[in-house]
Amino acid sequence: MTGGATGGPAGGPAGGPAAGPAAGPAVGAAGGWDPAPIGRALYRLSAALAVLGGLVLAALVVMTSLSIAGRALFSAPIPGDFELVEIGCAVAVFAFLPYCQITRGNVLVDFFTARAGPRRRAALDAFGNLLFTVIAGLIAWRAVLGAHDLYRYNETTMVLAVPVWWGFVPAVFCAAVLTLVAAYTVWRSAWEARHGRPLDDGIGPGDGQGSSPS
Amino acid sequence: MSDFAIGLASFPILLLLLAVRVPVGVAMIFVGGCGIVLMNGWTPLISQLKTGPYFQFSSYSLSVIPFFLLMGQFAAKAGMSRALFQAANVWLGHRRGGIAMAAIGGCAGFGAICGSSLATAATMGQVALPEMRRFNYSGALATGALAAGGTLGILIPPSVILVIYAILTEQSIAKMFLAAFVPGFLAALGYILAIAVFVRLNPEAGPAGPKAGWTERWSNVLETWPVAAIFLLVIGGIYVGWFTPTEAAAVGAFATGLLAVLHGGMRLPGLIASLKETARATAMIFLILLGAELFNAFLALTRMPMEAAATIGASGWPPVLILAAILLLYLALGCVMDSLSMILLTVPIFFPIVMGLDFGLTPDETAIWFGILALIVVEVGLITPPVGMNVFIINAMAGEVPMLETFKGVLPFLLSDALRVGLLVTFPGIALWLVRVLS
């Protein structure tokens, strides 16, 4: 069971198979459906979105560098370069959110529950993930209406006259995926609370501390 | 219930949610959102959420964060960590404890192109740990030096947390970076002195290595030129005004990515791994930023931070005492929380308080000085028990060193940190003179 990790040989820190005692075959355990196959599918989707968003980010890096070179050498920057950065970054950040959640990358305070035992911790995580599901759903729903408003008023960016709602289309899609992923993580945590061990959904147990940049 | 009381009551609720493992960003969004509903009803929140998150994520000033994170990921793959460590090692390795000192030097150099502490500790650890093992360094010294050295990554610009502090408090990123420069240099120096004292007390902990000739010394230094070039381009470029911080971060990511491909041998799998790690770190930060936005909007509605600042400002307590209390609170929080969450959670409260006190500095100088101080004490949390992330990473890399040994090894560096914070509190000029001279 190496899980359905995408992204080639270097699948990130969490891309490897789940280590430890839980790495047995995840047969549909008695008393409840097995969430693992859905987890694998959502993981593939989230990882693909993360890489796509990353490519957008990389493209912005190249575009900005070219624009600066153009400005310095020929006094000819790429027009509206900062608008592209703004749209691209918003889309990329939305695309990153599901991957962070499904790989257990969002920071939480582990201090007070470090001795609580895996079942109780997983039950608490189910609660936290449930809150996130509600919030993600709310954001996705409101963003649809926000995009509709911007479309109706025909709002565009200053320099390039790009309709602002364009960026909302991928953002709403990613927010919807985030809602699904968050709902899945509720299920995963509930499963783990019942079985007292990490679910082998091909993503790994995570570090609970996120990839804190600090 | 007065508005002030509502604002005050939100903190225990938020802390309770954090204690039961609700992710930091989620807890802040939840409490901030509920608070806004309590103050103003549903409609403002619901209509704010239509476009608020999107426009926050598309803010031009925030886009500097994913660019710097990408740059740090590329830096870890650029293969420069060995060159940086070697360049320091040929100068210092023949002293007692010299290889640990070289690890500190390498971390400082790496920090100049990487704004994150974990990445710095982990990248230098791969290079320096085997070398120290080869020369029979004690596990405590080897792991302690690297865990502490990692914090240089965040102190020496570019630094992701400094960027966030600057955006949060509307300070110039260029000035924040300038102000971090001398304290960062002092930190490296202080750590090297800490090692010197440590090996004087425990001579067997860090045996001396071989001595290198002068030509070897200079040729090794020359090999690190790409790091120096990128650092000068990025930081110098912001300062001279060639580009905005966002553009500088983009240029830095481009140059570092090029270096990773040409020198570090990064290919498609490496690129994809870098993108995924950037994705994870960016999403984690932006979720907390979204939470901070809502939570701060709520706090501003209650007017609690302003009133608290006014009360404390009028209390007549000595400003230095209040500052010391804040810094001590950061140290305590650092034992429980990660540094970024701490900054985003506390700055909205502490910043107005500090700005209301008279330290004999201009408002801008106070803001910059407090940012550097907060950054240093918050980073101490990375090397203190029980959740010192740097310590865990390095300890896991070292393998057979017991955790207690590593925490013992960190002690001399904590002393050096305490000394440096004391110096900075007493002489704000340490952080500010470069800003004053260059602007």
Side-chain angles (χ1 to χ4, degrees), chain B residues 73-74 77-78 256-272 274:
Chain B
Q73 284 297 325
F74 286 154
K77 294 199 163 53
T256 319
L258 213 60
L259 190 65
V261 172
L262 297 178
H263 185 269
M266 181 176 76
R267 294 296 172 260
L268 194 60
L271 174 70
I272 286 177
S274 302

Side-chain angles (χ1 to χ4, degrees), chain B residues 340-365:
Chain B
L340 178 77
S341 314
M342 250 158 81
I343 289 277
L344 282 171
L345 205 61
T346 59
V347 161
I349 303 290
F350 290 162
F351 186 71
I353 294 179
V354 170
M355 293 306 282
L357 302 173
D358 183 18
F359 295 98
L361 304 167
T362 68
D364 271 1
E365 287 181 338

Side-chain angles (χ1 to χ4, degrees), chain B residues 108-396:
Chain B
F110 195 74
I113 51 170
C114 179
S116 116
S117 160
L118 282 183
T120 303
T123 313
M124 285 319 291
Q126 282 166 4
V127 183
L129 275 178
E131 201 63 15
M132 288 196 260
R133 193 174 297 136
R134 200 156 70 86
F135 282 89
N136 275 325
Y137 270 52
S138 84
L141 179 60
T143 52
L146 278 163
T151 63
L152 295 174
I154 201 105
L155 193 53
I156 293 175
S159 154
V160 173
I161 294 203
L162 264 190
V163 166
I164 289 174
Y165 175 87
I167 295 172
L168 211 60
T169 60
E170 294 171 346
Q171 293 301 311
S172 136
I173 291 178
K175 284 185 184 170
M176 288 301 313
F177 281 0
L178 278 181
F181 198 76
V182 176
F185 184 75
L186 272 183
L189 206 67
Y191 288 166
I192 287 177
L193 288 177
I195 295 170
V197 173
F198 188 85
V199 291
R200 183 160 280 256
L201 299 176
N202 315 281
E204 75 293 347
K211 195 166 180 153
W214 287 101
T215 35
E216 197 187 344
R217 289 184 180 191
W218 287 112
S219 69
N220 269 290
V221 168
L222 277 182
E223 258 176 58
T224 63
W225 72 267
V227 174
I230 291 173
F231 176 76
L232 284 177
L233 179 68
V234 171
I235 306 299
I238 299 180
Y239 166 66
V240 182
W242 284 347
F243 21 70
T244 64
T246 298
E247 288 172 340
V251 169
F254 184 76
T256 319
L258 213 60
L259 190 65
V261 172
L262 297 178
H263 185 269
M266 181 176 76
R267 294 296 172 260
L268 194 60
L271 174 70
I272 286 177
S274 302
L275 295 181
K276 281 180 160 176
E277 263 316 282
T278 307
R280 208 157 168 255
T282 305
M284 181 221 104
I285 293 178
F286 274 71
L287 188 68
I288 302 177
L289 284 172
L290 186 61
E293 175 85 8
L294 276 175
F295 189 62
N296 294 346
F298 156 63
L299 283 183
L301 284 177
T302 68
R303 300 191 44 82
M304 196 272 271
M306 287 79 90
E307 287 177 28
T311 313
I312 292 177
S315 67
W317 291 329
V320 174
L321 208 67
I322 297 170
L323 180 70
I326 290 177
L327 295 180
L328 283 175
L329 196 67
Y330 271 136
L331 280 182
L333 271 178
C335 296
V336 180
M337 285 179 99
D338 76 289
S339 40
L340 178 77
S341 314
M342 250 158 81
I343 289 277
L344 282 171
L345 205 61
T346 59
V347 161
I349 303 290
F350 290 162
F351 186 71
I353 294 179
V354 170
M355 293 306 282
L357 302 173
D358 183 18
F359 295 98
L361 304 167
T362 68
D364 271 1
E365 287 181 338
T366 310
I368 292 171
W369 174 58
F370 177 64
I372 302 293
L373 276 173
L375 177 74
I376 295 174
V377 287
V378 154
E379 286 309 305
V380 170
L382 280 168
I383 53 172
T384 47
V387 289
M389 282 304 287
N390 275 11
V391 172
F392 290 136
I393 291 244
I394 291 299
N395 186 271

Side-chain angles (χ1 to χ4, degrees), chain B residues 19-33:
Chain B
V20 297
R21 295 173 65 88
V22 175
V24 178
V26 173
M28 287 172 93
I29 295 175
F30 182 74
V31 175

